[in-house]
Amino acid sequence: MSAPESDSSQPKAMRSTAEVRALLEAIPYCQFLGITVEDGSDGGIVSRMRFGEQIIGNAALPAIHGGAIGAFLETAAIVEVLRISPAGGALPKPVDLTIAYLRSARAVDTLARTIVTKHGRRVVNVRVEAWQDDPARPIATAQGHFLVARDDA
Amino acid sequence: MGAVSNSPEAPSLIDAVAERKELLIAYVPHAQALGFKVVDAKPGEAWLKVPFDAKLVGNPATGVIHGGVITTLLDNCAGVAVATALPELRSIATLDLRIDYMKPATPGLDVVGYTRCYKVTRHIAFVHGAAYHEDPDDPIATTAMTFMLGANKAPPGAAFGVNAR
């Protein structure tokens, strides 16, 4: 998955990975989950949830809690919306999210990328994909809508 | 299977934990790290609570907790509802989770999750639920989920501290 070409309805100004990282570092729950961002190989942004004992859901497997994966997918969507939004706006608000759990999330780091499917004036539609070792073997995907406040709206 | 299902009439998970309903989430490290509490559980129904904590905040400008906290509360709550709906211990795994956010949680307030497993087939369990502060009719979020039964190799009772040798 890669970032879509910017269209005319989309603001030109984008946040850098460092700027998005600074925003994430101010969010307590993202810090608790161990979520950070890095540059993707395709010029986009990749979210990472570092494995930690505090996100284990099933200690016998062991596997990461489905809720932590859901929170990570939601955060990865917010990260991408922030990246393509001009600085100064409020955080995007989740409206709905549908998560498909494809494989058990093992006790290692999890990565995620987001495609903005449609960037409307008020609502953004996103698709998120999360994987661990192999991007071709996703562990979970999500699709959802976020409310955004646009200065030009 | 162990003590639980060896008896002539195997007690359900809810009987196995009896009055110690906190055992239903005691062996889930993430639920413990988030401070989840079992409010109540009946066969096929569960109520969990997440006490407000500063570490749950998802928007530092407003103090509203992260949507992922609600997702996690409802996912775990639904897992308990499915487990208590089943006649025997089986491993369960979330297959699909849809969440709709109606309004932001109020900063400083605890959030209650309620889930009901309304249908179990051979391989799949179906759950509806909602998260709210005080009034179930004024939800913060609603959810619809499906769970896969017997989906992994984890000992079926391990997630609930029940020995199933």
PDB file of all heavy atoms in Angstrom, chain A residues 101-135:
ATOM      1  N   TYR A 101      -9.593  -9.453  11.778  1.00  0.00           N
ATOM      2  CA  TYR A 101      -8.425 -10.100  12.392  1.00  0.00           C
ATOM      3  C   TYR A 101      -8.066 -11.326  11.552  1.00  0.00           C
ATOM      4  O   TYR A 101      -8.869 -12.260  11.445  1.00  0.00           O
ATOM      5  CB  TYR A 101      -8.734 -10.498  13.837  1.00  0.00           C
ATOM      6  CG  TYR A 101      -8.931  -9.292  14.738  1.00  0.00           C
ATOM      7  CD1 TYR A 101     -10.189  -8.755  14.953  1.00  0.00           C
ATOM      8  CD2 TYR A 101      -7.844  -8.681  15.345  1.00  0.00           C
ATOM      9  CE1 TYR A 101     -10.368  -7.644  15.779  1.00  0.00           C
ATOM     10  CE2 TYR A 101      -8.006  -7.573  16.164  1.00  0.00           C
ATOM     11  CZ  TYR A 101      -9.268  -7.064  16.380  1.00  0.00           C
ATOM     12  OH  TYR A 101      -9.436  -5.968  17.182  1.00  0.00           O
ATOM     13  N   LEU A 102      -6.907 -11.300  10.928  1.00  0.00           N
ATOM     14  CA  LEU A 102      -6.551 -12.332   9.947  1.00  0.00           C
ATOM     15  C   LEU A 102      -5.648 -13.411  10.516  1.00  0.00           C
ATOM     16  O   LEU A 102      -5.756 -14.571  10.146  1.00  0.00           O
ATOM     17  CB  LEU A 102      -5.860 -11.666   8.747  1.00  0.00           C
ATOM     18  CG  LEU A 102      -6.629 -10.489   8.125  1.00  0.00           C
ATOM     19  CD1 LEU A 102      -5.783  -9.821   7.068  1.00  0.00           C
ATOM     20  CD2 LEU A 102      -7.949 -10.961   7.552  1.00  0.00           C
ATOM     21  N   ARG A 103      -4.741 -12.997  11.380  1.00  0.00           N
ATOM     22  CA  ARG A 103      -3.806 -13.950  11.985  1.00  0.00           C
ATOM     23  C   ARG A 103      -3.564 -13.540  13.419  1.00  0.00           C
ATOM     24  O   ARG A 103      -3.726 -12.372  13.772  1.00  0.00           O
ATOM     25  CB  ARG A 103      -2.456 -13.949  11.238  1.00  0.00           C
ATOM     26  CG  ARG A 103      -2.530 -14.459   9.821  1.00  0.00           C
ATOM     27  CD  ARG A 103      -1.173 -14.421   9.130  1.00  0.00           C
ATOM     28  NE  ARG A 103      -1.252 -15.061   7.812  1.00  0.00           N
ATOM     29  CZ  ARG A 103      -1.625 -14.443   6.701  1.00  0.00           C
ATOM     30  NH1 ARG A 103      -1.923 -13.154   6.715  1.00  0.00           N
ATOM     31  NH2 ARG A 103      -1.685 -15.101   5.569  1.00  0.00           N
ATOM     32  N   SER A 104      -3.143 -14.496  14.238  1.00  0.00           N
ATOM     33  CA  SER A 104      -2.784 -14.195  15.616  1.00  0.00           C
ATOM     34  C   SER A 104      -1.572 -13.250  15.617  1.00  0.00           C
ATOM     35  O   SER A 104      -0.639 -13.438  14.849  1.00  0.00           O
ATOM     36  CB  SER A 104      -2.449 -15.514  16.327  1.00  0.00           C
ATOM     37  OG  SER A 104      -1.913 -15.251  17.588  1.00  0.00           O
ATOM     38  N   ALA A 105      -1.613 -12.200  16.446  1.00  0.00           N
ATOM     39  CA  ALA A 105      -0.501 -11.245  16.522  1.00  0.00           C
ATOM     40  C   ALA A 105       0.504 -11.740  17.555  1.00  0.00           C
ATOM     41  O   ALA A 105       0.213 -11.775  18.746  1.00  0.00           O
ATOM     42  CB  ALA A 105      -1.027  -9.864  16.896  1.00  0.00           C
ATOM     43  N   ARG A 106       1.667 -12.151  17.053  1.00  0.00           N
ATOM     44  CA  ARG A 106       2.679 -12.744  17.932  1.00  0.00           C
ATOM     45  C   ARG A 106       3.417 -11.694  18.765  1.00  0.00           C
ATOM     46  O   ARG A 106       3.210 -10.491  18.578  1.00  0.00           O
ATOM     47  CB  ARG A 106       3.676 -13.554  17.097  1.00  0.00           C
ATOM     48  CG  ARG A 106       3.033 -14.776  16.437  1.00  0.00           C
ATOM     49  CD  ARG A 106       3.941 -15.443  15.433  1.00  0.00           C
ATOM     50  NE  ARG A 106       4.303 -14.541  14.350  1.00  0.00           N
ATOM     51  CZ  ARG A 106       5.523 -14.018  14.196  1.00  0.00           C
ATOM     52  NH1 ARG A 106       6.501 -14.321  15.027  1.00  0.00           N
ATOM     53  NH2 ARG A 106       5.757 -13.202  13.201  1.00  0.00           N
ATOM     54  N   ALA A 107       4.271 -12.165  19.659  1.00  0.00           N
ATOM     55  CA  ALA A 107       4.963 -11.290  20.605  1.00  0.00           C
ATOM     56  C   ALA A 107       6.171 -10.605  19.967  1.00  0.00           C
ATOM     57  O   ALA A 107       7.312 -10.750  20.417  1.00  0.00           O
ATOM     58  CB  ALA A 107       5.386 -12.102  21.831  1.00  0.00           C
ATOM     59  N   VAL A 108       5.912  -9.862  18.885  1.00  0.00           N
ATOM     60  CA  VAL A 108       6.959  -9.068  18.213  1.00  0.00           C
ATOM     61  C   VAL A 108       6.346  -7.717  17.834  1.00  0.00           C
ATOM     62  O   VAL A 108       5.146  -7.503  18.000  1.00  0.00           O
ATOM     63  CB  VAL A 108       7.507  -9.780  16.947  1.00  0.00           C
ATOM     64  CG1 VAL A 108       8.181 -11.094  17.312  1.00  0.00           C
ATOM     65  CG2 VAL A 108       6.384 -10.037  15.928  1.00  0.00           C
ATOM     66  N   ASP A 109       7.166  -6.819  17.269  1.00  0.00           N
ATOM     67  CA  ASP A 109       6.656  -5.515  16.840  1.00  0.00           C
ATOM     68  C   ASP A 109       5.614  -5.685  15.721  1.00  0.00           C
ATOM     69  O   ASP A 109       5.697  -6.620  14.920  1.00  0.00           O
ATOM     70  CB  ASP A 109       7.796  -4.643  16.294  1.00  0.00           C
ATOM     71  CG  ASP A 109       8.695  -4.111  17.398  1.00  0.00           C
ATOM     72  OD1 ASP A 109       8.542  -4.554  18.559  1.00  0.00           O
ATOM     73  OD2 ASP A 109       9.547  -3.260  17.096  1.00  0.00           O
ATOM     74  N   THR A 110       4.665  -4.751  15.678  1.00  0.00           N
ATOM     75  CA  THR A 110       3.646  -4.739  14.625  1.00  0.00           C
ATOM     76  C   THR A 110       3.762  -3.420  13.861  1.00  0.00           C
ATOM     77  O   THR A 110       3.991  -2.368  14.460  1.00  0.00           O
ATOM     78  CB  THR A 110       2.238  -4.871  15.242  1.00  0.00           C
ATOM     79  OG1 THR A 110       2.214  -6.002  16.120  1.00  0.00           O
ATOM     80  CG2 THR A 110       1.175  -5.054  14.164  1.00  0.00           C
ATOM     81  N   LEU A 111       3.632  -3.502  12.527  1.00  0.00           N
ATOM     82  CA  LEU A 111       3.745  -2.315  11.680  1.00  0.00           C
ATOM     83  C   LEU A 111       2.434  -2.077  10.955  1.00  0.00           C
ATOM     84  O   LEU A 111       1.647  -3.013  10.775  1.00  0.00           O
ATOM     85  CB  LEU A 111       4.876  -2.517  10.663  1.00  0.00           C
ATOM     86  CG  LEU A 111       6.243  -2.719  11.315  1.00  0.00           C
ATOM     87  CD1 LEU A 111       7.158  -3.568  10.444  1.00  0.00           C
ATOM     88  CD2 LEU A 111       6.892  -1.377  11.603  1.00  0.00           C
ATOM     89  N   ALA A 112       2.176  -0.838  10.537  1.00  0.00           N
ATOM     90  CA  ALA A 112       0.929  -0.557   9.813  1.00  0.00           C
ATOM     91  C   ALA A 112       1.099   0.596   8.845  1.00  0.00           C
ATOM     92  O   ALA A 112       1.849   1.545   9.095  1.00  0.00           O
ATOM     93  CB  ALA A 112      -0.198  -0.240  10.796  1.00  0.00           C
ATOM     94  N   ARG A 113       0.377   0.472   7.720  1.00  0.00           N
ATOM     95  CA  ARG A 113       0.316   1.527   6.716  1.00  0.00           C
ATOM     96  C   ARG A 113      -1.146   1.833   6.412  1.00  0.00           C
ATOM     97  O   ARG A 113      -1.992   0.949   6.502  1.00  0.00           O
ATOM     98  CB  ARG A 113       1.009   1.079   5.421  1.00  0.00           C
ATOM     99  CG  ARG A 113       2.479   1.415   5.413  1.00  0.00           C
ATOM    100  CD  ARG A 113       3.090   1.037   4.089  1.00  0.00           C
ATOM    101  NE  ARG A 113       2.909  -0.393   3.813  1.00  0.00           N
ATOM    102  CZ  ARG A 113       3.687  -1.080   2.998  1.00  0.00           C
ATOM    103  NH1 ARG A 113       4.687  -0.491   2.385  1.00  0.00           N
ATOM    104  NH2 ARG A 113       3.475  -2.358   2.790  1.00  0.00           N
ATOM    105  N   THR A 114      -1.397   3.058   6.020  1.00  0.00           N
ATOM    106  CA  THR A 114      -2.769   3.508   5.780  1.00  0.00           C
ATOM    107  C   THR A 114      -2.893   4.138   4.400  1.00  0.00           C
ATOM    108  O   THR A 114      -2.015   4.897   3.982  1.00  0.00           O
ATOM    109  CB  THR A 114      -3.170   4.544   6.847  1.00  0.00           C
ATOM    110  OG1 THR A 114      -3.068   3.929   8.132  1.00  0.00           O
ATOM    111  CG2 THR A 114      -4.591   5.040   6.636  1.00  0.00           C
ATOM    112  N   ILE A 115      -3.966   3.815   3.711  1.00  0.00           N
ATOM    113  CA  ILE A 115      -4.332   4.498   2.465  1.00  0.00           C
ATOM    114  C   ILE A 115      -5.539   5.370   2.769  1.00  0.00           C
ATOM    115  O   ILE A 115      -6.502   4.904   3.389  1.00  0.00           O
ATOM    116  CB  ILE A 115      -4.725   3.492   1.363  1.00  0.00           C
ATOM    117  CG1 ILE A 115      -3.510   2.758   0.837  1.00  0.00           C
ATOM    118  CG2 ILE A 115      -5.461   4.193   0.225  1.00  0.00           C
ATOM    119  CD1 ILE A 115      -3.828   1.801  -0.289  1.00  0.00           C
ATOM    120  N   VAL A 116      -5.487   6.631   2.363  1.00  0.00           N
ATOM    121  CA  VAL A 116      -6.682   7.471   2.429  1.00  0.00           C
ATOM    122  C   VAL A 116      -7.473   7.208   1.156  1.00  0.00           C
ATOM    123  O   VAL A 116      -7.053   7.555   0.059  1.00  0.00           O
ATOM    124  CB  VAL A 116      -6.320   8.961   2.583  1.00  0.00           C
ATOM    125  CG1 VAL A 116      -7.561   9.836   2.431  1.00  0.00           C
ATOM    126  CG2 VAL A 116      -5.677   9.196   3.951  1.00  0.00           C
ATOM    127  N   THR A 117      -8.617   6.542   1.318  1.00  0.00           N
ATOM    128  CA  THR A 117      -9.422   6.146   0.171  1.00  0.00           C
ATOM    129  C   THR A 117     -10.180   7.338  -0.393  1.00  0.00           C
ATOM    130  O   THR A 117     -10.328   7.479  -1.608  1.00  0.00           O
ATOM    131  CB  THR A 117     -10.425   5.048   0.594  1.00  0.00           C
ATOM    132  OG1 THR A 117      -9.783   4.175   1.516  1.00  0.00           O
ATOM    133  CG2 THR A 117     -10.900   4.244  -0.587  1.00  0.00           C
ATOM    134  N   LYS A 118     -10.694   8.167   0.506  1.00  0.00           N
ATOM    135  CA  LYS A 118     -11.443   9.350   0.086  1.00  0.00           C
ATOM    136  C   LYS A 118     -11.240  10.446   1.125  1.00  0.00           C
ATOM    137  O   LYS A 118     -11.430  10.211   2.312  1.00  0.00           O
ATOM    138  CB  LYS A 118     -12.937   9.004  -0.016  1.00  0.00           C
ATOM    139  CG  LYS A 118     -13.909  10.176   0.003  1.00  0.00           C
ATOM    140  CD  LYS A 118     -14.161  10.759  -1.379  1.00  0.00           C
ATOM    141  CE  LYS A 118     -14.883  12.101  -1.317  1.00  0.00           C
ATOM    142  NZ  LYS A 118     -16.264  12.021  -0.884  1.00  0.00           N
ATOM    143  N   HIS A 119     -10.820  11.621   0.659  1.00  0.00           N
ATOM    144  CA  HIS A 119     -10.623  12.748   1.568  1.00  0.00           C
ATOM    145  C   HIS A 119     -11.694  13.786   1.280  1.00  0.00           C
ATOM    146  O   HIS A 119     -11.571  14.583   0.360  1.00  0.00           O
ATOM    147  CB  HIS A 119      -9.222  13.339   1.376  1.00  0.00           C
ATOM    148  CG  HIS A 119      -8.772  14.172   2.537  1.00  0.00           C
ATOM    149  ND1 HIS A 119      -9.532  15.208   3.041  1.00  0.00           N
ATOM    150  CD2 HIS A 119      -7.662  14.110   3.304  1.00  0.00           C
ATOM    151  CE1 HIS A 119      -8.892  15.748   4.071  1.00  0.00           C
ATOM    152  NE2 HIS A 119      -7.753  15.097   4.251  1.00  0.00           N
ATOM    153  N   GLY A 120     -12.789  13.709   2.030  1.00  0.00           N
ATOM    154  CA  GLY A 120     -13.867  14.683   1.851  1.00  0.00           C
ATOM    155  C   GLY A 120     -13.604  15.919   2.685  1.00  0.00           C
ATOM    156  O   GLY A 120     -12.579  16.038   3.348  1.00  0.00           O
ATOM    157  N   ARG A 121     -14.537  16.853   2.615  1.00  0.00           N
ATOM    158  CA  ARG A 121     -14.353  18.097   3.370  1.00  0.00           C
ATOM    159  C   ARG A 121     -14.475  17.870   4.864  1.00  0.00           C
ATOM    160  O   ARG A 121     -13.786  18.506   5.652  1.00  0.00           O
ATOM    161  CB  ARG A 121     -15.406  19.122   2.920  1.00  0.00           C
ATOM    162  CG  ARG A 121     -15.185  19.586   1.484  1.00  0.00           C
ATOM    163  CD  ARG A 121     -16.315  20.461   1.004  1.00  0.00           C
ATOM    164  NE  ARG A 121     -16.325  21.764   1.647  1.00  0.00           N
ATOM    165  CZ  ARG A 121     -15.559  22.783   1.258  1.00  0.00           C
ATOM    166  NH1 ARG A 121     -14.739  22.643   0.238  1.00  0.00           N
ATOM    167  NH2 ARG A 121     -15.614  23.940   1.866  1.00  0.00           N
ATOM    168  N   ARG A 122     -15.375  16.971   5.266  1.00  0.00           N
ATOM    169  CA  ARG A 122     -15.562  16.711   6.691  1.00  0.00           C
ATOM    170  C   ARG A 122     -15.155  15.303   7.105  1.00  0.00           C
ATOM    171  O   ARG A 122     -14.762  15.070   8.240  1.00  0.00           O
ATOM    172  CB  ARG A 122     -17.026  16.961   7.089  1.00  0.00           C
ATOM    173  CG  ARG A 122     -17.360  18.437   7.165  1.00  0.00           C
ATOM    174  CD  ARG A 122     -18.818  18.643   7.456  1.00  0.00           C
ATOM    175  NE  ARG A 122     -19.655  18.134   6.361  1.00  0.00           N
ATOM    176  CZ  ARG A 122     -20.986  18.194   6.355  1.00  0.00           C
ATOM    177  NH1 ARG A 122     -21.616  18.703   7.380  1.00  0.00           N
ATOM    178  NH2 ARG A 122     -21.658  17.739   5.326  1.00  0.00           N
ATOM    179  N   VAL A 123     -15.316  14.351   6.192  1.00  0.00           N
ATOM    180  CA  VAL A 123     -15.060  12.954   6.542  1.00  0.00           C
ATOM    181  C   VAL A 123     -13.961  12.371   5.650  1.00  0.00           C
ATOM    182  O   VAL A 123     -13.940  12.614   4.448  1.00  0.00           O
ATOM    183  CB  VAL A 123     -16.357  12.115   6.407  1.00  0.00           C
ATOM    184  CG1 VAL A 123     -16.070  10.636   6.609  1.00  0.00           C
ATOM    185  CG2 VAL A 123     -17.406  12.592   7.404  1.00  0.00           C
ATOM    186  N   VAL A 124     -13.055  11.628   6.283  1.00  0.00           N
ATOM    187  CA  VAL A 124     -11.999  10.934   5.553  1.00  0.00           C
ATOM    188  C   VAL A 124     -12.239   9.433   5.681  1.00  0.00           C
ATOM    189  O   VAL A 124     -12.507   8.939   6.785  1.00  0.00           O
ATOM    190  CB  VAL A 124     -10.607  11.286   6.130  1.00  0.00           C
ATOM    191  CG1 VAL A 124      -9.508  10.550   5.376  1.00  0.00           C
ATOM    192  CG2 VAL A 124     -10.382  12.786   6.083  1.00  0.00           C
ATOM    193  N   ASN A 125     -12.162   8.718   4.560  1.00  0.00           N
ATOM    194  CA  ASN A 125     -12.274   7.263   4.579  1.00  0.00           C
ATOM    195  C   ASN A 125     -10.878   6.672   4.442  1.00  0.00           C
ATOM    196  O   ASN A 125     -10.113   7.071   3.556  1.00  0.00           O
ATOM    197  CB  ASN A 125     -13.178   6.787   3.435  1.00  0.00           C
ATOM    198  CG  ASN A 125     -13.325   5.278   3.416  1.00  0.00           C
ATOM    199  OD1 ASN A 125     -12.383   4.550   3.148  1.00  0.00           O
ATOM    200  ND2 ASN A 125     -14.516   4.804   3.710  1.00  0.00           N
ATOM    201  N   VAL A 126     -10.536   5.734   5.334  1.00  0.00           N
ATOM    202  CA  VAL A 126      -9.190   5.168   5.326  1.00  0.00           C
ATOM    203  C   VAL A 126      -9.231   3.642   5.314  1.00  0.00           C
ATOM    204  O   VAL A 126     -10.197   3.025   5.735  1.00  0.00           O
ATOM    205  CB  VAL A 126      -8.374   5.605   6.568  1.00  0.00           C
ATOM    206  CG1 VAL A 126      -8.171   7.098   6.588  1.00  0.00           C
ATOM    207  CG2 VAL A 126      -9.042   5.141   7.838  1.00  0.00           C
ATOM    208  N   ARG A 127      -8.144   3.076   4.815  1.00  0.00           N
ATOM    209  CA  ARG A 127      -7.924   1.635   4.844  1.00  0.00           C
ATOM    210  C   ARG A 127      -6.557   1.395   5.479  1.00  0.00           C
ATOM    211  O   ARG A 127      -5.577   2.032   5.085  1.00  0.00           O
ATOM    212  CB  ARG A 127      -7.928   1.098   3.410  1.00  0.00           C
ATOM    213  CG  ARG A 127      -8.648  -0.180   3.212  1.00  0.00           C
ATOM    214  CD  ARG A 127      -9.367  -0.274   1.861  1.00  0.00           C
ATOM    215  NE  ARG A 127      -8.605   0.232   0.717  1.00  0.00           N
ATOM    216  CZ  ARG A 127      -7.704  -0.487   0.056  1.00  0.00           C
ATOM    217  NH1 ARG A 127      -7.405  -1.713   0.428  1.00  0.00           N
ATOM    218  NH2 ARG A 127      -7.099   0.017  -1.000  1.00  0.00           N
ATOM    219  N   VAL A 128      -6.499   0.539   6.458  1.00  0.00           N
ATOM    220  CA  VAL A 128      -5.258   0.295   7.195  1.00  0.00           C
ATOM    221  C   VAL A 128      -4.903  -1.185   7.097  1.00  0.00           C
ATOM    222  O   VAL A 128      -5.789  -2.039   7.098  1.00  0.00           O
ATOM    223  CB  VAL A 128      -5.399   0.669   8.695  1.00  0.00           C
ATOM    224  CG1 VAL A 128      -4.035   0.759   9.366  1.00  0.00           C
ATOM    225  CG2 VAL A 128      -6.175   1.949   8.880  1.00  0.00           C
ATOM    226  N   GLU A 129      -3.607  -1.449   7.016  1.00  0.00           N
ATOM    227  CA  GLU A 129      -3.148  -2.836   6.983  1.00  0.00           C
ATOM    228  C   GLU A 129      -1.992  -2.980   7.970  1.00  0.00           C
ATOM    229  O   GLU A 129      -1.080  -2.164   7.968  1.00  0.00           O
ATOM    230  CB  GLU A 129      -2.676  -3.163   5.556  1.00  0.00           C
ATOM    231  CG  GLU A 129      -2.689  -4.635   5.239  1.00  0.00           C
ATOM    232  CD  GLU A 129      -2.628  -4.864   3.730  1.00  0.00           C
ATOM    233  OE1 GLU A 129      -3.637  -4.604   3.047  1.00  0.00           O
ATOM    234  OE2 GLU A 129      -1.569  -5.284   3.245  1.00  0.00           O
ATOM    235  N   ALA A 130      -2.062  -4.008   8.807  1.00  0.00           N
ATOM    236  CA  ALA A 130      -1.004  -4.241   9.808  1.00  0.00           C
ATOM    237  C   ALA A 130      -0.349  -5.591   9.572  1.00  0.00           C
ATOM    238  O   ALA A 130      -1.015  -6.558   9.196  1.00  0.00           O
ATOM    239  CB  ALA A 130      -1.595  -4.192  11.220  1.00  0.00           C
ATOM    240  N   TRP A 131       0.965  -5.639   9.779  1.00  0.00           N
ATOM    241  CA  TRP A 131       1.703  -6.890   9.605  1.00  0.00           C
ATOM    242  C   TRP A 131       2.820  -6.959  10.644  1.00  0.00           C
ATOM    243  O   TRP A 131       3.080  -5.980  11.359  1.00  0.00           O
ATOM    244  CB  TRP A 131       2.262  -6.979   8.180  1.00  0.00           C
ATOM    245  CG  TRP A 131       3.403  -6.045   7.904  1.00  0.00           C
ATOM    246  CD1 TRP A 131       4.735  -6.320   7.998  1.00  0.00           C
ATOM    247  CD2 TRP A 131       3.311  -4.653   7.515  1.00  0.00           C
ATOM    248  NE1 TRP A 131       5.475  -5.202   7.680  1.00  0.00           N
ATOM    249  CE2 TRP A 131       4.642  -4.182   7.386  1.00  0.00           C
ATOM    250  CE3 TRP A 131       2.253  -3.789   7.271  1.00  0.00           C
ATOM    251  CZ2 TRP A 131       4.930  -2.858   7.024  1.00  0.00           C
ATOM    252  CZ3 TRP A 131       2.545  -2.485   6.911  1.00  0.00           C
ATOM    253  CH2 TRP A 131       3.863  -2.029   6.789  1.00  0.00           C
ATOM    254  N   GLN A 132       3.468  -8.116  10.722  1.00  0.00           N
ATOM    255  CA  GLN A 132       4.596  -8.255  11.645  1.00  0.00           C
ATOM    256  C   GLN A 132       5.889  -8.456  10.853  1.00  0.00           C
ATOM    257  O   GLN A 132       6.542  -7.488  10.528  1.00  0.00           O
ATOM    258  CB  GLN A 132       4.298  -9.335  12.675  1.00  0.00           C
ATOM    259  CG  GLN A 132       3.145  -8.875  13.594  1.00  0.00           C
ATOM    260  CD  GLN A 132       2.884  -9.750  14.770  1.00  0.00           C
ATOM    261  OE1 GLN A 132       2.854 -10.973  14.660  1.00  0.00           O
ATOM    262  NE2 GLN A 132       2.682  -9.145  15.935  1.00  0.00           N
ATOM    263  N   ASP A 133       6.226  -9.680  10.473  1.00  0.00           N
ATOM    264  CA  ASP A 133       7.482  -9.883   9.748  1.00  0.00           C
ATOM    265  C   ASP A 133       7.347  -9.620   8.250  1.00  0.00           C
ATOM    266  O   ASP A 133       8.260  -9.117   7.614  1.00  0.00           O
ATOM    267  CB  ASP A 133       8.002 -11.317   9.962  1.00  0.00           C
ATOM    268  CG  ASP A 133       8.258 -11.586  11.424  1.00  0.00           C
ATOM    269  OD1 ASP A 133       8.666 -10.639  12.120  1.00  0.00           O
ATOM    270  OD2 ASP A 133       8.034 -12.726  11.868  1.00  0.00           O
ATOM    271  N   ASP A 134       6.197  -9.975   7.684  1.00  0.00           N
ATOM    272  CA  ASP A 134       6.041  -9.974   6.236  1.00  0.00           C
ATOM    273  C   ASP A 134       4.831  -9.129   5.827  1.00  0.00           C
ATOM    274  O   ASP A 134       3.700  -9.501   6.122  1.00  0.00           O
ATOM    275  CB  ASP A 134       5.873 -11.441   5.780  1.00  0.00           C
ATOM    276  CG  ASP A 134       5.773 -11.572   4.266  1.00  0.00           C
ATOM    277  OD1 ASP A 134       5.781 -10.534   3.572  1.00  0.00           O
ATOM    278  OD2 ASP A 134       5.677 -12.721   3.795  1.00  0.00           O
ATOM    279  N   PRO A 135       5.081  -8.013   5.097  1.00  0.00           N
ATOM    280  CA  PRO A 135       3.965  -7.159   4.684  1.00  0.00           C
ATOM    281  C   PRO A 135       2.945  -7.900   3.816  1.00  0.00           C
ATOM    282  O   PRO A 135       1.787  -7.488   3.736  1.00  0.00           O
ATOM    283  CB  PRO A 135       4.642  -6.052   3.869  1.00  0.00           C
ATOM    284  CG  PRO A 135       6.073  -6.096   4.241  1.00  0.00           C
ATOM    285  CD  PRO A 135       6.381  -7.500   4.662  1.00  0.00           C
TER     286      PRO A 135
END
